[in-house]
Amino acid sequence: MLGFVAGVVFGEVRIPAGVDDTQWRIILGSTAIPPIFVCIQVYLVPESPRWYMSKGKYDKAFASLQRFRWSRFQAARDLYYIHKQIAIEYELQKGKNLWKEFFGVPRNRRAAQSSFFVMFMQQFCGVNVIAYYSTVIFQTSGFNRSNALLVSMGTGIVNWLFAIPAVYTIDTFGRRNLLLVTFPLMAIMLLITGFSFYAPEGKGRLAGVATGIYLFMVVYSPGEGPVPFTYSAEAFPLYIREYGMAFATATTWGFNFILSLTWPALEQAFTPTGAFGFYAAWNFFGWGFAYFCLPETKERTLEELDQVFSLKTTDHARYYFGMLPWYFRKYVLRGDVENRTPLYTVEN
């Protein structure tokens, strides 16, 4: 959001007569201003207690934990908890090829599959097309450059504002349910945006494109915005969690690169309507995969997650395929239906 603000502030800088046109350099360089403040704040953040303990620096770990906890007692409790956790992880990792474990063990492979999916869809839902190219998209729809920069800043503000409710909904509504609700809505908003380019040039087209993009950001922010990193961080067992998060992060940034590189050619080949329709189709695919193949991880302990990801993907899909008539009778026909047998039986 701050990057959009910096672009608006420096977008109208006047270049003196006789000087080469360097305005684009000023706009590009202005986006480095917000990261400078972030870098300064890094020095105010305590080092990870877990990292200190992995290096044997327990005194520094305790001092760091005290900055995160209300009392020394709580810090001491968590220091012991992390110590035992590290010891267990070390025993689990001993003598194992962790990359082989990552892909070779079915439970870990299903966690990797699910993490790959949510990270892949974080990019191919189309959000960073808007984040990176919104100014160009708005100019194509008929805005002048100044207004396009202002409207683009609005997308960043909307994204930030509507991410706030996710702090509560991600643990109450659930990760999978958030995706099931937001994927089709994101697809619809992208279709609205794309088909708005068929409208004659003027206020109607401008309103359609801006409305579609703004509503897309409203829906994205509590769904595919926070869910992928939360989901990936809890899907893997402790002894390969570092590998799992490295894999998940590499996935999202790898496809981020592909998306940012291919959008101009995609828009030129498919037209804006076809290009937005392409990413709308991916959102419909995302809904189908999330419904049939993505396990829920909300409020699950590590032991429960082992049971969740030990279930075959085909069994998961078969169960939810069988649920479709049940949903139809209950929510469409409003009938009195029997409760279904839970998919997971949690062993205490």
Side-chain angles (χ1 to χ4, degrees):
M1 184 181 73
L2 294 178
F4 282 117
V5 172
V8 170
V9 171
F10 291 94
E12 293 301 318
V13 172
R14 300 300 177 187
I15 306 301
V19 179
D20 291 339
D21 183 10
T22 59
Q23 190 172 33
W24 70 269
R25 294 183 175 89
I26 296 172
I27 296 174
L28 181 64
S30 68
T31 59
I33 296 174
I36 291 173
F37 292 101
V38 175
C39 289
I40 293 171
Q41 292 177 67
V42 167
Y43 292 96
L44 305 177
V45 178
E47 183 56 83
S48 164
R50 185 183 178 87
W51 183 85
Y52 274 136
M53 294 171 70
S54 69
K55 304 300 179 183
K57 301 177 181 179
Y58 280 74
D59 54 338
K60 292 184 177 180
F62 184 58
S64 180
L65 271 171
Q66 289 183 79
R67 296 183 62 179
F68 293 114
R69 301 296 182 266
W70 291 105
S71 68
R72 289 171 58 87
F73 175 78
Q74 290 177 316
R77 176 203 64 190
D78 290 342
L79 186 79
Y80 177 75
Y81 176 76
I82 297 171
H83 165 74
K84 296 301 292 183
Q85 199 174 52
I86 291 174
I88 293 170
E89 290 176 28
Y90 177 76
E91 290 298 322
L92 289 171
Q93 292 174 356
K94 189 182 296 184
K96 293 180 179 178
N97 182 324
L98 295 185
W99 279 117
K100 187 176 180 180
E101 289 278 314
F102 186 79
F103 292 106
V105 176
R107 179 260 184 266
N108 299 337
R109 189 168 60 246
R110 292 186 193 103
Q113 169 190 286
S114 297
S115 295
F116 175 88
F117 164 73
V118 293
M119 287 297 195
F120 168 80
M121 285 306 305
Q122 187 177 56
Q123 300 304 321
F124 268 65
C125 70
V127 66
N128 281 324
V129 165
I130 295 170
Y132 299 156
Y133 293 100
S134 58
T135 302
V136 176
I137 292 169
F138 286 129
Q139 284 184 287
T140 303
S141 67
F143 285 95
N144 60 43
R145 192 181 68 170
S146 298
N147 287 338
L149 284 169
L150 284 170
V151 180
S152 295
M153 182 179 69
T155 64
I157 295 172
V158 169
N159 186 13
W160 178 76
L161 285 175
F162 283 88
I164 296 174
V167 174
Y168 304 97
T169 58
I170 200 166
D171 280 326
T172 54
F173 197 55
R175 294 88 162 108
R176 180 174 177 272
N177 287 336
L178 281 172
L179 296 183
L180 291 177
V181 170
T182 56
F183 272 136
L185 292 176
M186 286 192 291
I188 292 169
M189 300 314 156
L190 289 178
L191 291 175
I192 290 173
T193 303
F195 282 108
S196 293
F197 283 91
Y198 280 133
E201 290 189 18
K203 292 183 178 180
R205 178 192 288 187
L206 299 181
V209 171
T211 300
I213 287 178
Y214 272 49
L215 290 179
F216 174 89
M217 299 307 291
V218 168
V219 176
Y220 165 84
S221 298
E224 264 295 326
V227 165
F229 280 95
T230 304
Y231 192 99
S232 301
E234 62 194 5
F236 297 97
L238 291 175
Y239 76 103
I240 61 162
R241 185 160 290 178
E242 294 174 354
Y243 287 70
M245 279 307 299
F247 169 80
T249 305
T251 298
T252 193
W253 291 115
F255 284 104
N256 177 283
F257 170 77
I258 293 172
L259 179 143
S260 61
L261 187 69
T262 57
W263 171 256
L266 185 70
E267 185 184 28
Q268 185 176 12
F270 285 13
T271 73
T273 301
F276 279 109
F278 173 78
Y279 286 108
W282 276 110
N283 280 285
F284 286 123
F285 162 80
W287 184 91
F289 189 97
Y291 179 79
F292 289 108
C293 303
L294 187 71
E296 177 60 85
T297 60
K298 176 177 76 81
E299 297 179 346
R300 299 286 186 185
T301 66
L302 292 172
E303 294 74 21
E304 291 169 352
L305 286 172
D306 285 339
Q307 291 181 256
V308 167
F309 286 106
S310 293
L311 185 72
K312 292 182 179 179
T313 303
T314 52
D315 292 338
H316 190 280
R318 190 179 300 113
Y319 175 86
Y320 279 102
F321 183 80
M323 285 289 291
L324 290 174
W326 187 88
Y327 287 133
F328 181 79
R329 291 194 299 270
K330 181 175 177 65
Y331 296 108
V332 178
L333 301 181
R334 311 299 294 178
D336 186 14
V337 296
E338 296 181 358
N339 292 331
R340 287 294 302 266
T341 304
L343 178 59
Y344 310 112
T345 301
V346 179
E347 299 176 0
N348 294 322

